[in-house]
Amino acid sequence: QQQVKQSPQSLIVQKGGISIINCAYENTAFDYFPWYQQFPGKGPALLIAIRPDVSEKKEGRFTISFNKSAKQFSLHIMDSQPGDSATYFCAARITGTASKLTFGTGTRLQVTL
Amino acid sequence: DVKVTQSSRYLVKRTGEKVFLECVQDMDHENMFWYRQDPGLGLRLIYFSYDVKMKEKGDIPEGYSVSREKKERFSLILESASTNQTSMYLCASSLGTLSSYGYTFGSGTRLTVV
């Protein structure tokens, strides 16, 4: 079963626009929600992360919004740039043995000129 | 920077072969993971290890096994490769249970089984 649902599957945004990727989860035991960015030919890299006691976290042009009651969180990329074109994965973790991550299915973002 | 190195970038193997995928990390991380990445399915956990010689099944362990004899090395074994195991395999490591540093991934091994 898909414990973390991610949408959309793909996204095209013009340069300077806002990219928004959404994720929803079922398990209320999740306690850490990271986003990963993956460029072609590379492994995913940690982009930004949030804990459920915070509703928003901002790092540069990247912001996570977190809605605990709705069990949803989203990534906003402000002033999107062609260099942001990549695949983005949301994830969720339950603290415990190895604290393994459960990933969403990914969103391929293309930022056009 | 933590480095996670996967021994092969591309592999082509025949159906029925025993396949070894190797992963080495250089920052003394306790946890290591093997995921496979398929279009539309995201990253799915195959196996993970939280200590030397310790391993646990992930979500899709069937057809795979793992070995962790040393802290820095985590091997994924396909006992008898099948075409449905054609995929991108990603190794990752992380620093302990409560770390907020997340995973560090290798660059992946693209395995084709013919």
Side-chain angles (χ1 to χ4, degrees):
Chain A
Q1 85 257 29
Q2 188 66 42
Q3 291 198 57
V4 180
K5 295 184 179 180
Q6 183 172 348
S7 64
Q9 189 171 6
S10 64
L11 182 61
I12 300 175
V13 173
Q14 279 197 325
K15 179 182 175 182
I18 302 173
S19 304
I20 302 173
I21 304 170
N22 300 300
C23 284
Y25 64 96
E26 296 290 330
N27 192 337
T28 55
F30 287 136
D31 64 355
Y32 173 70
F33 300 89
W35 285 87
Y36 282 79
Q37 179 188 55
Q38 183 182 31
F39 293 106
K42 301 288 187 182
L46 179 64
L47 182 64
I48 187 173
I50 197 167
R51 295 190 182 277
D53 53 348
V54 175
S55 61
E56 186 176 282
K57 184 173 181 180
K58 185 175 181 180
E59 289 185 3
R61 297 184 293 107
F62 300 91
T63 300
I64 301 178
S65 297
F66 188 84
N67 185 330
K68 190 173 182 178
S69 60
K71 293 186 284 186
Q72 295 175 348
F73 58 110
S74 59
L75 177 69
H76 296 235
I77 307 174
M78 312 300 288
D79 187 27
S80 298
Q81 299 297 313
D84 297 330
S85 297
T87 300
Y88 293 81
F89 294 95
C90 62
R93 182 190 77 183
I94 300 174
T95 297
T97 305
S99 294
K100 59 190 174 85
L101 290 173
T102 298
F103 285 86
T105 51
T107 297
R108 178 173 285 187
L109 171 66
Q110 183 181 353
V111 181
T112 61
L113 293 171
Chain B
D1 276 354
V2 176
K3 193 170 181 181
V4 177
T5 303
Q6 294 185 232
S7 56
S8 302
R9 190 75 182 93
Y10 298 95
L11 274 179
V12 179
K13 297 292 182 180
R14 295 195 179 277
T15 301
E17 274 194 77
K18 190 169 185 177
V19 180
F20 294 85
L21 302 183
E22 306 288 343
C23 175
V24 177
Q25 51 97 359
D26 66 359
M27 281 297 289
D28 204 34
H29 280 182
E30 287 85 357
N31 307 318
M32 296 188 76
F33 308 84
W34 277 105
Y35 284 83
R36 64 178 281 177
Q37 181 177 5
D38 300 289
L41 297 177
L43 280 70
R44 294 179 292 165
L45 181 63
I46 304 171
Y47 266 97
F48 65 100
S49 169
Y50 52 91
D51 202 350
V52 175
K53 297 190 184 294
M54 305 303 291
K55 59 186 178 184
E56 287 197 22
K57 294 179 180 179
D59 300 318
I60 51 165
E62 296 78 18
Y64 304 94
S65 63
V66 290
S67 173
R68 194 169 181 198
E69 297 295 320
K70 294 184 178 181
K71 191 173 186 178
E72 68 271 18
R73 186 180 297 269
F74 192 36
S75 303
L76 179 69
I77 304 155
L78 286 65
E79 298 291 343
S80 177
S82 64
T83 55
N84 63 14
Q85 292 178 310
T86 292
S87 186
M88 170 68 83
Y89 289 88
L90 289 164
C91 175
S93 69
S94 73
L95 183 67
T97 301
L98 297 178
S99 169
S100 295
Y101 294 103
Y103 288 8
T104 300
F105 280 91
S107 294
T109 296
R110 185 165 293 281
L111 173 67
T112 302
V113 182
V114 297

